[in-house]
Amino acid sequence: KSSVQTIGEEQIQNPYTELIVLKGHQDIVRFLVQIDDCRFASAGDDGIVFLWNAQTGEKLFELHGHTQKITAIAPFSSPDTSEEKKHLILTASADRTVIVWDCTSGRQVQKVSCFHSTVKCLTVLQRLDVWLSGGSDLCVWNRKLDLLCKTSHLSDAGISALIELPKNCVAAAVGKELIIFRLIASNYGSEGWNILEVKRLVDHQDNILSLVNVNDLTFATGSHVGELIVWDALDWTEQASECNFWDSSVNPDAQTEIKLSQSPNETSVQHLTSDEECVFAAVGKGIYVYNLQMKRVIACQRTAHDSSVLHIEKLPNRQLISCSEDGSVRIWELREKQQLPPEPVPTGFFNMWGFGRANKQANQAAKKMQENTPMYFLELVGDLIGHSSAVQMFLYFDELGLATCSADHLIILWKDGARESRLRSLTLFQKLSQNGDLQLRS
């Protein structure tokens, strides 16, 4: 029997009661990227890029240009200062090319085919108006797709993830190493750019799978064996680390589980996201909330899904969404545990926590400790069943709903049924009004 939590039939807090299925892809859909408030792009193993309307589910464009699966995608919009903001997207493929697409016309703007290996990640540095491609080396490009500079061959495995850091720096995950590079920008067009390796961080014991920016001063990394490290973004020193996500101490209600060895699938940090206070980690089948100030896990759901959690995002309203290899998408709410007043118990072990007939000073100390360390829990408030295979990732569109993509070749738009019903009624009312069908009959 599955140990995953189930949710009541009513699901009062689940906002997504209606779905639209988007078809077109012929293989696993791995990537979704937001273009603007109501458009997004999808891509995956069939090498095709689709552009969609998030409100209606309308297919806007079908972009053909790659001959193999797509390995990375990134939005690359023009600066807000331009008169008409131009929305572009970059796609990299196993065919060793990168293509720039115009989202308004659906046309291919330009194609780069000079790569020696597959590009695994793309990162746009808006402030410098350049973009980076990571593979067996790190390349810097401008908007016209001129190669500004590149590193020498880093490794056969290549760069698996990239994030921007302050002071024109970037962090690149190369196997179990984290390499910090600094960009030397030039004021003379495409001449004079350079990229310097400034530091190698070797604190991880296994391959780094996830990188996330927390704020201007902090970023975090997660590895295949369940290590989370929080870093200073300015001097790249380790601020905190966590490697025992499965330790039951964060959940005193749970029975202690003693495991002599952990399977990598149970401890692998597949994805990280964050807000100013916490880092949210998808670890094996579970999701964990790590508080940056307390430097500890404050809430967890060890079996959030039946299989590995592939993607996790924090919503503005203290909610989290997670999706899994088991085909499910779940909504969680972070809630504070109600501290129950202690009942008198015999003296002994519990005295150290301020229970029983302990002295007043010990009671006060324990009470203060409880007040200073609030415990939270993740409650399942939504369970979205629609996909028949692994859900790779999702995009949150606020009131427009949620878009999910899967190994079943489908994209699903999850909608608030009540809102959609109101919109349909309003549209019908407007049509009838225009046709004059609403005139009062005598």
Side-chain angles (χ1 to χ4, degrees):
K1 189 183 175 184
S2 167
S3 56
V4 172
Q5 281 197 0
T6 53
I7 188 168
E9 287 180 10
E10 296 173 358
Q11 299 200 48
I12 299 166
Q13 296 189 62
N14 186 357
Y16 307 120
T17 51
E18 188 172 302
L19 56 85
I20 305 170
V21 179
L22 311 184
K23 296 178 180 179
H25 282 286
Q26 305 300 313
D27 211 329
I28 298 173
V29 191
R30 296 188 188 274
F31 304 103
L32 299 174
V33 66
Q34 191 165 343
I35 297 164
D36 54 26
D37 290 342
C38 66
R39 289 184 300 165
F40 69 97
S42 62
D45 288 6
D46 59 7
I48 307 167
V49 182
F50 286 93
L51 267 55
W52 307 92
N53 181 311
Q55 170 60 51
T56 63
E58 178 192 357
K59 186 195 296 178
L60 304 173
F61 293 107
E62 189 171 325
L63 312 179
H64 293 265
H66 291 296
T67 57
Q68 292 185 44
K69 69 178 184 179
I70 287 168
T71 52
I73 185 168
F76 189 18
S77 298
S78 58
D80 291 321
T81 50
S82 59
E83 289 179 20
E84 188 181 342
K85 191 169 183 180
K86 199 171 186 180
H87 293 285
L88 306 171
I89 50 171
L90 302 164
T91 54
S93 167
D95 63 13
R96 299 187 180 184
T97 66
V98 170
I99 298 177
V100 183
W101 308 91
D102 185 326
C103 297
T104 306
S105 66
R107 291 195 180 126
Q108 184 175 306
V109 178
Q110 214 160 341
K111 187 174 188 173
V112 186
S113 327
C114 60
F115 297 99
H116 300 300
S117 66
T118 300
V119 171
K120 295 181 179 178
C121 48
L122 297 165
T123 299
V124 175
L125 308 184
Q126 291 285 6
R127 198 174 54 78
L128 295 175
D129 203 27
V130 297
W131 59 276
L132 313 180
S133 62
S136 59
D137 41 30
L138 180 62
C139 302
V140 184
W141 310 82
N142 66 11
R143 192 173 286 278
K144 296 175 186 174
L145 269 68
D146 299 319
L147 178 61
L148 303 176
C149 56
K150 62 182 285 190
T151 63
S152 56
H153 183 87
L154 292 167
S155 79
D156 291 333
I159 298 169
S160 58
L162 274 171
I163 54 166
E164 182 178 5
L165 299 179
K167 299 182 179 177
N168 293 358
C169 289
V170 292
V174 182
K176 60 179 76 171
E177 286 189 320
L178 197 61
I179 307 178
I180 309 296
F181 294 99
R182 177 172 277 118
L183 242 65
I184 310 298
S186 169
N187 296 323
Y188 306 103
S190 60
E191 297 296 318
W193 285 75
N194 201 1
I195 187 159
L196 304 173
E197 181 183 318
V198 291
K199 197 165 187 181
R200 286 197 179 217
L201 307 171
V202 291
D203 301 49
H204 278 291
Q205 302 301 308
D206 206 338
N207 288 347
I208 298 166
L209 300 184
S210 189
L211 270 173
V212 66
N213 273 338
V214 177
N215 51 44
D216 291 340
L217 303 173
T218 313
F219 69 100
T221 52
S223 83
H224 186 57
V225 290
E227 305 156 305
L228 168 74
I229 299 181
V230 181
W231 304 90
D232 186 300
L234 297 175
D235 63 10
W236 320 300
T237 53
E238 191 178 309
Q239 289 185 342
S241 66
E242 173 70 52
C243 61
N244 293 317
F245 279 110
W246 51 89
D247 184 355
S248 62
S249 62
V250 296
N251 190 355
D253 301 333
Q255 289 184 337
T256 306
E257 256 183 280
I258 298 171
K259 292 191 178 181
L260 296 176
S261 63
Q262 294 285 330
S263 139
N265 291 337
E266 291 180 43
T267 63
S268 183
V269 182
Q270 298 288 353
H271 189 235
L272 294 173
T273 189
S274 75
D275 58 14
E276 290 289 318
E277 294 176 26
C278 297
V279 173
F280 306 90
V283 185
K285 300 176 184 179
I287 51 181
Y288 295 77
V289 182
Y290 181 87
N291 186 283
L292 292 160
Q293 192 174 1
M294 296 181 195
K295 297 187 176 179
R296 67 183 184 92
V297 174
I298 59 165
C300 71
Q301 189 57 253
R302 283 181 183 75
T303 46
H305 294 265
D306 276 327
S307 302
S308 292
V309 182
L310 299 180
H311 195 79
I312 182 171
E313 287 295 341
K314 168 80 164 51
L315 301 190
N317 52 3
R318 292 184 72 79
Q319 288 188 340
L320 289 170
I321 300 183
S322 59
C323 66
S324 165
E325 282 181 350
D326 65 16
S328 64
V329 182
R330 300 193 153 185
I331 307 170
W332 308 87
E333 191 160 297
L334 186 63
R335 293 183 176 168
E336 193 168 337
K337 282 186 179 174
Q338 296 297 316
Q339 297 287 352
L340 296 172
E343 294 179 15
V345 292
T347 56
F349 170 78
F350 293 104
N351 276 348
M352 62 191 289
W353 296 106
F355 301 127
R357 295 188 295 273
N359 63 58
K360 192 175 180 182
Q361 191 177 357
N363 261 323
Q364 286 174 339
K367 191 177 178 184
K368 191 175 182 182
M369 181 182 169
Q370 282 185 331
E371 285 171 0
N372 291 339
T373 56
M375 289 301 291
Y376 297 84
F377 67 101
L378 289 165
E379 181 167 340
L380 183 63
V381 295
D383 199 0
L384 312 183
I385 305 297
H387 287 290
S388 61
S389 195
V391 181
Q392 303 293 320
M393 68 170 293
F394 52 83
L395 283 180
Y396 176 66
F397 280 96
D398 199 18
E399 63 176 12
L400 294 186
L402 191 73
T404 56
C405 66
S406 168
D408 62 12
H409 310 179
L410 300 176
I411 295 160
I412 295 180
L413 292 180
W414 303 86
K415 299 283 187 179
D416 177 346
R419 179 181 180 273
E420 296 303 305
S421 181
R422 283 196 303 273
L423 288 174
R424 282 191 290 269
S425 298
L426 187 61
T427 305
L428 180 63
F429 182 86
Q430 287 170 342
K431 279 184 179 175
L432 291 171
S433 172
Q434 286 166 2
N435 296 338
D437 294 344
L438 287 178
Q439 291 175 356
L440 291 170
R441 293 190 176 94
S442 55

